[in-house]
Amino acid sequence: MYRIGVDVGGTFTDFTIENVSSGDFLYFKLSSTPDDPSDAIVNGISQILELFQIGAAEISYIGHGTTVATNMIIERRGVPTGLITTQGFRDVLAIGRQTRPALYDVTVKRPPPLVERYRRLEVAERLNAKGEELSPLDEAELERVLDQLAATGVEAIAISFLHAYKNAEHEVAAARIAARKLPGVYVSTSSSVLPEFREFERTSTTVLNAYVGPRMAAYFDRLKAKIAERGISVAPMIIHSNGGLLSIDSAKRLPVTTCLSGPAAGVIGAAVVGAAAGVRDLVTFDVGGTSTDVSLVVDGKPKLASSREVAGYPVRLPMIDIHVIGAGGGSIAQVDDAQALKVGPRSAGAHPGPVAYGRGGDLPTLTDANICLNRLNPVALLDGRMPVDREAAWTSIEEKIARPLGISVEKAAYGVIQVAAANMSRAIRAVTTEQGHDVGDIALFAFGGAGPLHASEVARESGIRRILVPQEPGTMCARGVLLSDVSLDFVRMQLTAATQSSWERACAALREMADEGDRWLAGENVEPELRRAELAIDAHYAGQSHELRVPLEAADPSGLDDFLARFGNAHEAAFGYQNAGQPVFLVSCRLRAVGVVPKQLEPSHKGGSSLAAAETDVRSVYYGPEEGWLQTPIFRRSALPVGTNVVGPCVIEEMSSTTVVLRGQTATIDAYGNIIITS
């Protein structure tokens, strides 16, 4: 039987295929189809079945990482959406918070609310902060409001009442009436999406869920149907932003959780592969065709964030903390009005793509610069399946970059690479040194189609001395899908001082959540012996505005003192001090329901007999004004013997990526097939 992991990127769609019996992996990629990403997925699966002679009945699992929801929000391609909220809170989305992205920049503008004001309507209802009813839901008024929204052509409705995080009864009743009165309209409630306080973030997240809901549901249904048409009986699982898997039914109910799901899968995969190789502290460096995604992994665990913004809109959900910049292989290079060279954030994407791809692109990109300097194969990529036109790339850089700057084409192309490397290094510093982490103790885990191509120079720029490049790095996010567990996060608000009685109530809530999580895992077809529950409580000192998350071993009613000690240690680690005399407040109980997916990671790299046998070519490669063009050995990665040192400069090629090793660096292949570069 075979398991397939799929990651859809802006330029390529990547596949990793696991042979469950042998534990071996196969890899494949093809160009993305932005108009309908499911086309590339199904076309790729069809080619995989034919290329590797796999029967459709032999496919036991398909996992899918996607940024479809993210792109929909960025491009404002969601459906007309209405918002129903508590009387007096119509403008929560417009008011937002007082925080500014740049304190002294008066030109910065927040994006307009995704729901226009005439579609933001109020109904009479009110609970207090304890969830007790002050005023009942006015159902007659609700029906009038629904008629008003229907008249504006809404296709989705978000319902966010003020204190629904403590008591969901009014929202549940409103959703039931909306579903009856407006059949076919997608309905999303804040109590099912984000049952937490802070009404702005809760309302924003619920609106985003509704905004992308109908089209994401249609996409998932379309994908499921197309896969079934190929004779594959399993329905795809969907990666969400905390690195876990959801069934299609759960993903259709909570599509906002899939924002940044593809990059999250890459981080999960990096953590697992790195730990197997003995590298547990690393910064992931994922460079695709459109963006560079970096994230921190400490002691084998990805760093998590409780919220982030997508295209300027707050999304408050547990997710892997990923820093994204607009720098990828397809990033367009240009000379601005001040005669400065810039790379990105605009991208050539999959169509037309870089000039060298011959699909109509006429603006030079980072990929074109690497092809001009022979760092990338100047004849063809993807093991010869994708011819490239080096002369066209050379001409484009000459006309658009070299002549305006009055320099040679080599220096212009190298300048493009250096500018991109500087941008990438800043992103790495944002998640390492700026967060108090010493890069001397951290390895750079480079993947994505262009990650290994730039890792050596970025590592030098960042002060990182060790680089790990996994096998077929261009498909690492797809491989991460195969290494991810089924999971979903649950939360219940407490908002109370930490006393023995409140602690016992919190423990009771965690036990109830554990039962809820177990039922959800059963619905996801996870066997009982593979179900796990990860517990945590968010807390802060009295007077603080934001909380810290403290993991728990168990919901122990006698464990209050242990929890307070853990909280104090967590506060000291985060802020450098404890405040033993200050009361602690319990904010929320959290539980992550996990269905463990068996992971097979065995030493599998066979390699060749000698370094000489792995050498496939020698070509002239440009390394900058000081070293110039150097005759450089080209190695086939799969043929490199385990444990043999390869001294730079050299280039190591494989189907999905190319690794450049600079002078002064040494590369070694380990038993897992990882390239370890040291300097």
Side-chain angles (χ1 to χ4, degrees):
M1 301 300 286
Y2 294 84
R3 302 171 71 239
I4 298 178
V6 187
D7 175 59
V8 178
T11 305
F12 289 104
T13 296
D14 305 327
F15 300 82
T16 297
I17 307 97
E18 179 189 10
N19 185 325
V20 177
S21 300
S22 67
D24 293 335
F25 289 91
L26 303 168
Y27 307 92
F28 187 77
K29 66 191 302 168
L30 77 170
S31 294
S32 294
T33 50
D35 290 342
D36 186 352
S38 66
D39 287 341
I41 295 173
V42 177
N43 291 340
I45 290 174
S46 298
Q47 292 182 48
I48 286 167
L49 298 182
E50 181 178 352
L51 179 65
F52 299 117
Q53 297 188 345
I54 299 171
E58 295 180 89
I59 305 302
S60 61
Y61 167 90
I62 297 175
H64 173 24
T66 174
T67 54
V68 172
T70 305
N71 295 337
M72 203 176 292
I73 295 167
I74 292 172
E75 298 167 16
R76 304 290 294 273
R77 291 188 291 106
V79 301
T81 303
L83 171 64
I84 299 175
T85 188
T86 304
Q87 195 171 63
F89 290 85
R90 178 183 188 182
D91 293 317
V92 162
L93 285 182
I95 295 170
R97 295 284 181 198
Q98 294 183 14
T99 54
R100 298 176 61 86
L103 186 60
Y104 299 108
D105 188 350
V106 297
T107 66
V108 173
K109 293 183 178 180
R110 289 184 301 178
L114 290 174
V115 181
E116 303 90 338
R117 194 170 194 273
Y118 72 96
R119 286 181 172 145
R120 304 197 301 262
L121 302 178
E122 304 171 345
V123 296
E125 71 83 36
R126 195 62 179 262
L127 308 173
N128 64 18
K130 296 180 180 179
E132 299 164 342
E133 186 176 78
L134 299 178
S135 299
L137 173 66
D138 189 332
E139 296 188 2
E141 183 179 18
L142 174 63
E143 298 215 8
R144 290 194 296 272
V145 163
L146 289 168
D147 287 336
Q148 285 181 255
L149 290 175
T152 69
V154 297
E155 297 177 34
I157 291 174
I159 301 173
S160 182
F161 293 152
L162 184 58
H163 292 300
Y165 58 87
K166 289 293 285 185
N167 183 345
E169 288 183 6
H170 287 185
E171 282 196 352
V172 170
R176 184 172 59 249
I177 294 169
R180 172 179 56 77
K181 193 168 182 63
L182 302 180
V185 171
Y186 188 95
V187 179
S188 183
T189 63
S190 73
S191 53
S192 62
V193 175
L194 182 65
E196 296 187 33
F197 75 143
R198 297 192 175 102
E199 63 272 14
F200 170 54
E201 289 82 0
R202 177 162 50 92
T203 302
S204 173
T205 305
T206 307
V207 164
L208 286 169
N209 197 70
Y211 182 70
V212 302
R215 290 185 179 169
M216 287 298 290
Y219 168 72
F220 290 140
D221 287 340
R222 193 163 60 247
L223 174 63
K224 182 178 179 181
K226 288 180 180 180
I227 288 174
E229 288 172 3
R230 296 301 189 274
I232 298 172
S233 60
V234 295
M237 298 287 285
I238 310 298
I239 283 280
H240 59 110
S241 304
N242 78 356
L245 290 160
L246 297 172
S247 66
I248 274 187
D249 287 342
S250 292
K252 286 165 64 175
R253 181 173 60 86
L254 297 169
V256 71
T257 63
T258 67
C259 290
L260 303 173
S261 75
V267 178
I268 293 292
V272 175
V273 173
V279 181
R280 298 181 63 82
D281 295 325
L282 51 90
V283 57
T284 64
F285 177 59
D286 177 9
V287 186
T290 305
S291 65
T292 293
D293 305 330
V294 298
S295 186
L296 190 66
V297 175
V298 178
D299 194 25
K301 297 180 180 179
K303 183 180 178 183
L304 297 176
S306 59
S307 64
R308 68 170 300 155
E309 289 189 349
V310 177
Y313 300 104
V315 178
R316 187 172 173 82
L317 290 169
M319 59 184 68
I320 292 177
D321 191 9
I322 299 174
H323 187 75
V324 183
I325 63 168
S331 293
I332 293 170
Q334 60 183 333
V335 178
D336 66 14
D337 294 339
Q339 291 298 97
L341 177 60
K342 292 190 173 182
V343 181
R346 193 158 62 103
S347 173
H351 298 286
V355 175
Y357 289 2
R359 296 173 180 161
D362 59 358
L363 298 175
T365 66
L366 184 57
T367 293
D368 293 311
N370 280 291
I371 289 173
C372 283
L373 301 185
N374 287 345
R375 295 181 173 217
L376 279 174
N377 191 306
V379 178
L381 305 175
L382 302 183
D383 275 350
R385 290 190 290 113
M386 186 175 181
V388 296
D389 187 343
R390 181 175 183 265
E391 184 177 346
W394 185 278
T395 300
S396 177
I397 288 180
E398 182 178 31
E399 293 178 353
K400 301 292 197 311
I401 307 295
R403 286 180 188 169
L405 294 178
I407 58 177
S408 68
V409 176
E410 295 96 326
K411 288 184 179 179
Y414 185 71
V416 170
I417 292 171
Q418 291 298 100
V419 169
N423 292 338
M424 295 168 181
S425 297
R426 279 196 294 272
I428 288 172
R429 287 193 290 272
V431 301
T432 55
T433 54
E434 293 179 14
Q435 301 296 322
H437 298 277
D438 182 0
V439 293
D441 301 327
I442 296 174
L444 185 68
F445 192 102
F447 61 102
L453 190 63
H454 298 278
S456 292
E457 285 180 322
V458 169
R460 278 188 176 177
E461 176 88 11
S462 305
I464 296 174
R465 296 189 295 270
R466 191 180 190 192
I467 304 167
L468 191 153
V469 181
Q471 195 173 16
E472 292 296 350
T475 62
M476 188 65 219
C477 288
R479 187 177 179 187
V481 172
L482 298 179
L483 298 173
S484 299
D485 296 323
V486 177
S487 73
L488 187 65
D489 292 279
F490 297 83
V491 60
R492 290 195 185 176
M493 301 305 296
Q494 298 299 308
L495 298 174
T496 180
T499 63
Q500 183 58 39
S501 60
S502 66
W503 174 255
E504 291 175 0
R505 289 195 299 272
C507 289
L510 285 169
R511 289 193 293 272
E512 291 175 5
M513 294 163 68
D515 291 339
E516 185 180 357
D518 192 70
R519 290 193 297 272
W520 178 79
L521 288 170
E524 299 290 292
N525 299 314
V526 176
E527 296 298 326
E529 63 271 16
L530 298 177
R531 300 174 197 169
R532 306 286 187 272
E534 298 175 359
L535 312 179
I537 286 183
D538 291 351
H540 62 67
Y541 284 124
Q544 292 181 327
S545 299
H546 295 279
E547 53 275 4
L548 287 173
R549 188 159 302 165
V550 181
L552 299 177
E553 300 296 331
D556 180 5
S558 63
L560 176 59
D561 290 340
D562 178 66
F563 168 78
L564 293 176
R566 286 171 177 256
F567 171 76
N569 292 336
H571 196 277
E572 185 169 10
F575 303 111
Y577 72 96
Q578 297 189 34
N579 194 345
Q582 189 77 347
V584 174
F585 268 69
L586 308 179
V587 177
S588 56
C589 295
R590 295 188 180 274
L591 180 138
R592 174 169 295 174
V594 178
V596 178
V597 172
K599 304 168 183 65
Q600 299 185 43
L601 277 182
E602 300 292 335
S604 59
H605 183 73
K606 299 177 178 63
S609 58
S610 67
L611 194 60
E615 187 174 319
T616 60
D617 194 9
V618 175
R619 67 173 180 254
S620 184
V621 177
Y622 189 77
Y623 293 94
E626 293 185 5
E627 296 181 85
W629 292 93
L630 298 177
Q631 290 298 108
T632 302
I634 312 300
F635 295 101
R636 183 66 183 170
R637 177 176 183 154
S638 60
L640 287 171
V642 173
T644 300
N645 289 337
V646 185
V647 179
C650 67
V651 173
I652 303 172
E653 294 184 339
E654 56 194 306
M655 183 276 292
S656 67
S657 189
T658 298
T659 302
V660 174
V661 183
L662 303 176
R663 186 187 298 276
Q665 297 176 329
T666 302
T668 306
I669 294 281
D670 71 8
Y672 293 91
N674 302 307
I675 301 174
I676 309 295
I677 302 173
T678 55
S679 57

